Amino acid sequence: QVQLVESGGGSVQAGGSLTLSCEAHGYTYQTYCMGWFRQVPGKEREGVAAIDGYGTKNYADSVKGRFTISQDNGKNTLYLQMNSLKAEDTAMFYCAAAKFLCGSWYRVPPSDEFDYWGQGTQVTVSS
């Protein structure tokens, strides 16, 4: 059973930065796709970034050049470095895991492809 625990959310002014962390247990990074999603009330969950066991990364167009996904396999931790934050980045951010390699998707796979989810961490960006 894969367990995911996010941390690092908070409030920040527009233009600022935050780094989210997701501590993962019960998985083998070489065979998993790890992703970050976000959701605002009343909207569908949106894929933000994904990384697979080969280190291949994909991003949503809305965050390219501002967000960076990475993973420290020795610490079983996934990160999302978020720079130049905008008010429209305000959302609940979720970490997710799926047992397939997603690098060849050339995009963030849809949320229904992921089997395991964290509880979420809130990011609020004020303008």
Side-chain angles (χ1 to χ4, degrees), residues 4 9 27 33 57 62 74 82 97 99 101 103 108 112 115 122 127:
L4 305 171
Y27 82 116
C33 177
K57 305 174 184 181
S62 58
M82 304 185 294
K99 197 173 182 181
L101 295 175
V108 180
D112 57 7
D115 304 304
Q122 178 68 35
S127 57

Side-chain angles (χ1 to χ4, degrees), residues 79-103:
Y79 302 98
L80 185 69
Q81 173 68 44
M82 304 185 294
N83 298 326
S84 302
L85 282 162
K86 305 175 182 180
E88 51 264 42
D89 293 318
T90 295
M92 184 71 78
F93 279 72
Y94 297 90
C95 171
K99 197 173 182 181
F100 67 94
L101 295 175
C102 54

